[in-house]
Amino acid sequence: MTSKPAMLTDTCLAFILAGGRGSRLHELTDRDCKPAIPFAGSSRIVDFVLANTLNSGIRRAYVATQYQPKRLVNHIRNRWEPRFAMDEGSVVCLGSGTEIEAEGYRGTADAVYRNIARIDQLRPRHVLVLAADHVYQMDYGPMIEQHVATGADITIAADIVSRREARGFGVIVANEKGVITGFQEKPAHPATLPEDQERSLASMGIYVFDWPRLRRLLIADANNPGSSHDFGKDILPLVAERGHAYVHRLSAPRKGAKAYWRDVGTIDALHAAHMDLIHGEAGLDLEHWPLHAGWIGSRGEVAGSQFPSLIYPGSEAIGAHLEACALAPLVNIGTGARLERAVLMNGATIGSDVRLRDAVVAPGTRIDGPLMAGFDPEEDETWFRRSSGGILLIDQPMVDRWHREARRVRRGWVPASARPATPAAHPRSHELLTVTKPQ
């Protein structure tokens, strides 16, 4: 399992940035940071970067936390500390705020700077800086090997995305030798590939530094009053200007396998990643590149359905109609419910009179009918959060608000047995139960 050459990963420290809220996930991160969000079963988003670290042969890791860290820290302590210890390694959570200073980390570079003393104690040759909020599999060993071979100040992992998607990433411009000649942080007009004007080379938020060089960069940045103390905004453009930065293109951990990487920082992306898994398009190889601390469930056929669903053992959906849905642990779906392309997070309960399409249901949410969502964009936006890509986010306060208004204007009930057989044939939800829009 260990990457080659082993001596490079043995002397490397992984510094994982897991302090962000993930505001584009809206209500899902009201109580948890983005890396702690459940993903496709008993796993959490952070599990992918930690599994990559351990599978690459890197046995020492620091995890910098900040926003709503409690559930994340408990998850790492309970599931990952014992696993790293099995390989004679360690993973340590480093908090901000009162645990270090009176204020939190000012940026991603500041998170590393404020822990220089801790890193010095481990005396690493290289530091691998990693974002904790992506779903992907990657062997970091070849990237570190390339970094040493080129003598770069920094090596940045990258993958190709559409020009539209590139607006949300750091965009890299590199020559034919892999030398980075330009870096744009979330540009309005991203640079594109020379051979394809519709695609761009995006930073994956994965950087390799020689520790002495990174240490000097961090100290200089901390003393710069004009800096925002961020890798993407400050450190990376500076190194790129000097011509000492190289790009490393993403490849799958196993030869011949399909590479996969997705930043799940939006409702659309989180939903899409689940659909990728359901349809077998992700290419995640959990047999040869294990996740260790979590399990994503299994793809299974549901009677009468055109597409399989991802169902965690113990979740109940007997008599429900599911098309390409993802069910996390402790999900219960009533007989007669009809769901299409729905992601149901831990502990969600769906009543038999519910119709859902293209939705993400937050953990612990209970939805009773008669309720339809995902069929009328205007009405959906009245009650739920609807993304730019048309995906609904539904949590308990939204459902409770819908029910409060429904009780005021209830004009009858259409039982499930009297409704048409398919969701597309149903009348609009306000014809099942008239609910006035709140003033």
Side-chain angles (χ1 to χ4, degrees):
M1 181 64 65
T2 301
S3 302
K4 300 298 182 181
M7 60 179 294
L8 293 180
T9 53
D10 283 346
T11 57
C12 180
L13 168 70
F15 195 102
I16 300 170
L17 300 168
R21 170 172 182 166
S23 58
R24 293 179 298 167
L25 289 174
H26 304 288
E27 288 81 2
L28 286 180
T29 55
D30 280 350
R31 297 183 180 180
D32 287 307
C33 59
K34 182 164 57 169
I37 296 299
F39 184 83
S42 64
S43 60
R44 297 181 183 272
I45 294 172
V46 73
D47 292 340
F48 287 91
V49 68
L50 287 166
N52 289 336
T53 299
L54 201 59
N55 292 341
S56 296
I58 300 170
R59 293 188 289 273
R60 298 177 298 176
Y62 282 147
V63 182
T65 66
Q66 181 156 287
Y67 172 79
Q68 296 284 24
K70 184 175 180 180
R71 205 185 308 270
L72 175 67
V73 171
N74 288 340
H75 177 73
I76 291 173
R77 287 176 177 170
N78 293 334
R79 292 200 179 187
W80 283 104
E81 284 187 4
R83 185 60 190 85
F84 270 77
M86 287 174 60
D87 286 1
E88 299 181 350
S90 64
V91 55
V92 179
C93 292
L94 306 174
S96 64
T98 55
E99 293 183 38
I100 297 180
E101 295 178 10
E103 63 177 14
Y105 298 132
R106 297 172 294 174
T108 54
D110 186 55
V112 184
Y113 168 76
R114 297 252 296 275
N115 289 289
I116 280 178
R118 290 178 178 269
I119 299 172
D120 282 341
Q121 290 175 356
L122 298 180
R123 303 177 65 184
R125 178 178 175 185
H126 302 103
V127 171
L128 180 67
V129 179
L130 302 166
D133 48 11
H134 300 166
V135 173
Y136 71 111
Q137 291 182 314
M138 179 178 176
D139 185 347
Y140 302 130
M143 182 178 176
I144 301 170
E145 185 177 16
Q146 175 192 323
H147 177 79
V148 173
T150 59
D153 284 346
I154 177 176
T155 301
I156 305 174
D159 197 18
I160 295 173
V161 300
S162 70
R163 189 170 185 269
R164 179 183 57 83
E165 292 176 296
R167 297 188 183 101
F169 296 101
V171 174
I172 296 169
V173 179
N175 64 23
E176 66 280 359
K177 295 181 179 180
V179 177
I180 296 174
T181 57
F183 186 91
Q184 308 166 306
E185 180 66 8
K186 298 182 180 178
H189 305 286
T192 57
L193 299 173
E195 68 276 14
D196 189 342
Q197 296 302 302
E198 295 302 319
R199 299 198 296 172
S200 300
L201 191 58
S203 167
M204 297 171 59
I206 300 171
Y207 323 123
V208 177
F209 294 90
D210 288 4
W211 172 234
R213 294 180 186 178
L214 176 57
R215 196 179 190 280
R216 290 194 296 269
L217 286 168
L218 293 172
I219 292 172
D221 178 77
N223 293 323
N224 179 1
S227 175
S228 57
H229 312 295
D230 183 83
F231 278 104
K233 296 177 182 177
D234 305 292
I235 302 292
L236 273 55
L238 177 65
V239 180
E241 286 179 5
R242 298 174 180 174
H244 297 156
Y246 280 73
V247 65
H248 177 83
R249 298 287 285 271
L250 173 68
S251 61
R254 192 163 61 97
K255 189 174 182 179
K258 180 182 178 181
Y260 181 86
W261 166 71
R262 190 184 283 276
D263 179 350
V264 289
T266 66
I267 297 299
D268 288 332
L270 184 65
H271 183 270
H274 282 86
M275 295 303 106
D276 288 343
L277 285 172
I278 290 169
H279 295 295
E281 297 175 2
L284 297 179
D285 182 3
L286 299 179
E287 179 181 356
H288 300 93
W289 199 258
L291 198 55
H292 298 298
W295 193 52
I296 65 171
S298 56
R299 294 169 66 243
E301 302 290 339
V302 178
S305 299
Q306 182 179 358
F307 299 105
S309 290
L310 192 69
I311 302 175
Y312 195 84
S315 291
E316 294 288 341
I318 299 175
H321 183 88
L322 305 180
E323 294 279 357
C325 295
L327 278 61
L330 305 176
V331 167
N332 195 301
I333 302 177
T335 300
R338 301 185 69 89
L339 284 72
E340 299 176 47
R341 301 181 298 277
V343 176
L344 308 175
M345 293 189 165
N346 306 46
T349 301
I350 309 298
S352 59
D353 291 303
V354 172
R355 306 291 183 265
L356 286 182
R357 185 167 67 184
D358 295 324
V360 174
V361 179
T365 301
R366 182 181 184 89
I367 305 178
D368 296 315
L371 186 151
M372 290 181 66
F375 300 91
D376 186 326
E378 182 179 354
E379 188 172 346
D380 290 339
E381 290 177 355
T382 301
W383 309 108
F384 312 114
R385 184 177 293 279
R386 187 172 184 271
S387 73
S388 60
I391 304 300
L392 298 183
L393 172 61
I394 302 175
D395 71 353
Q396 195 63 55
M398 298 176 194
V399 176
D400 292 344
R401 177 169 162 265
W402 186 90
H403 278 297
R404 283 195 301 270
E405 295 298 321
R407 283 193 293 269
R408 296 175 186 171
V409 294
R410 190 176 298 272
R411 296 180 180 176
W413 184 284
V414 181
S417 59
R419 296 178 193 164
T422 62
H426 282 309
R428 286 158 42 128
S429 60
H430 66 258
E431 293 172 350
L432 295 177
L433 184 60
T434 301
V435 180
T436 58
K437 297 181 180 180
Q439 300 300 316

